[in-house]
Amino acid sequence: MLINPKPEVVKSSHIKDYEKLYKESIADPELFWENIAKELSWYKPWEKVLDWKFPYARWFVGGQTNIVYNALDRWQNTDVKNNTALIWVAQDQSERRFTYGQLNEEVSKFANSLKSLGVKKGDKITIYLPRIPEQFIAMLACLKIGAVHSVVYSGFSADALKNRVEDAQAKIVICSNSYPYGKKIVESKKNVDEALKENKTVENVIVVERIKSDSPAGEQNPEIKSYKEIFWNELVKKQSPVCPTEVMESSDPAFILYTSGTTGKPKGIIHGHGGYMVGIYATLKFVFDISPYDVFWSTADAGWITGHSYILYSPLINGITTFVYEGTPDFPDIEIWWKLIDKYKITKFYTAPTAIRALMKFGEDHLKKYDFSSLKILGSVGEPINPEAWLWFYKNVGREKIPIMDTWWQTETGMFMVTPVPSVSLKPGSAFKPFFGIEADVVDDKGNKIPTNTQGYLIVRKPWPAMLLDVYNNPTRYKETYFEKIPNVYFAGDSAKIDEDGFYWIVGRNDDVIKVSGHRLGSAELESAFVSNPKVAEAAVIGKPHEVKGESIKAFVILKQGVVPSDELKMELVQTVRKSIGPIATPDEIDFVDKLPKTRSGKIMRRVLKAQELGLPVGDTSTLDD
């Protein structure tokens, strides 16, 4: 199925002819990226666009800038200063708004606060905050003074926090005392106390009072003497709202973000100021067709790369309004997202397939009462989106008028890599083709090109500006994980296929591939087949050891409201999957369940299901929502 763009979408799009610009960008990627970089502010221009010494790329060499110089400083002497930079809505629907001028002052005050505690350029700061304005203010303040932030997702356990603080050798930890999450109150400060019991590097803990407390900072855990606790408000109220922005080399580190694979300790992915900034600026501008008065809502969390790149930094670098809702997609009710889109006139809405599928099971009727006429572009991120969820999103939220930008990228890539732009024709479930300047491909395990519609390994052949600089304190892991699995390319760790029209179909992680009788089947592809049945809301699929086939397929299925589980329905679902993928994909077992183990960002934790099924240790479950 091909869905063509509406004429009015093409008319407003920054990019009218994808194929022409893509060919030009691949013919001379350095010129393409240099022209983008010239749209941004630099203290000193670069001497060389790219220094590529495999496997390390350094972009805009000799150039000096700062992400905050572009996100805040450059707007202060323009009309944008009085525009809204951030709208934050709390779970109780109260709100806080910041213009670019006000946000600049708050960031400067907190930057001066950090300086008053002895923070210097290059120091590491761990930010363990929920989705509140202070999270974003702290991130920007770190970069403003040249410190390196490490945002740790607020849903992580004390152990997960401890590992990340120790690996980064953080000097300061910023946390909340506690915060609301749906109907629960999360006691995040207790996790910090636990995580820092044996810590040798942290000098200060800054506590944001998200929920009013009778316990002053410094008294929560009096037996801990190794660091000092200070309340955010107490610290900030003494500070000047003026702070100079540190001049940074293009490849100076901006932040470390830890990403976990299925095995081993998390990898500290390092991103810098210059190249990263150029990449995220261009991708948001072109893919979401940014115009000056956009209100952009990414439903992610700044604990993940989506929050860094597309909640905070690139919306501000593009001078638009970024919108943040503190709560979950179903709190206080399942209509909250649609109410917020209507009330705040959201123009660009970027969310995850898991959330879409979770909301699909409640039907469409409740969406019809809301006005979505402000919406211009929809987006999908985090995992492959199955065609059924794509079409539901397109019909019921997009009202069959606006395109869905299905984006493939990673923590390591920093920016969108395979993605449409609004003016192109789309296939539901496909991430379209590579972004400008990105030379991607699908190959076998030796790096050879493979036939059309054949599943293989997704790779990138040439460097791009927002690529990771390194793995913190572990260059060996950087090389082994990304550049030595297949010679001379970046190995993404994802499976994909390219169809006869050159469209990319992301199948899922290589470690989520089930091998049945020698056939590689992606979990995401199997799950998509299940969800294509109108009675199914969600599905998760795992492989189990099988002495004949290598692995057998087991599915865990959530049914839509009102659908009754039965053996007949199991047979029906078997036929659905056989019809969708083929007899080789016949599931051996189907369990009907009420819920699936998910991270709080909505990713299904298949390894937990597999471990439980096989009676193995489930490992670290600190990211589990419940």
Side-chain angles (χ1 to χ4, degrees), residues 6 391 393-402:
K6 300 287 185 280
L391 287 165
F393 197 31
Y394 178 69
K395 287 174 182 172
N396 295 293
V397 182
R399 308 274 156 94
E400 298 190 47
K401 291 178 182 171
I402 58 178

Side-chain angles (χ1 to χ4, degrees), residues 21 36 45 69 218 286 301 369 397 545 564 598 620:
L21 183 55
I36 299 283
Y69 184 45
F286 293 150
D301 185 289
K369 55 179 138 167
V397 182
V564 179
K598 291 179 188 175
D620 180 14

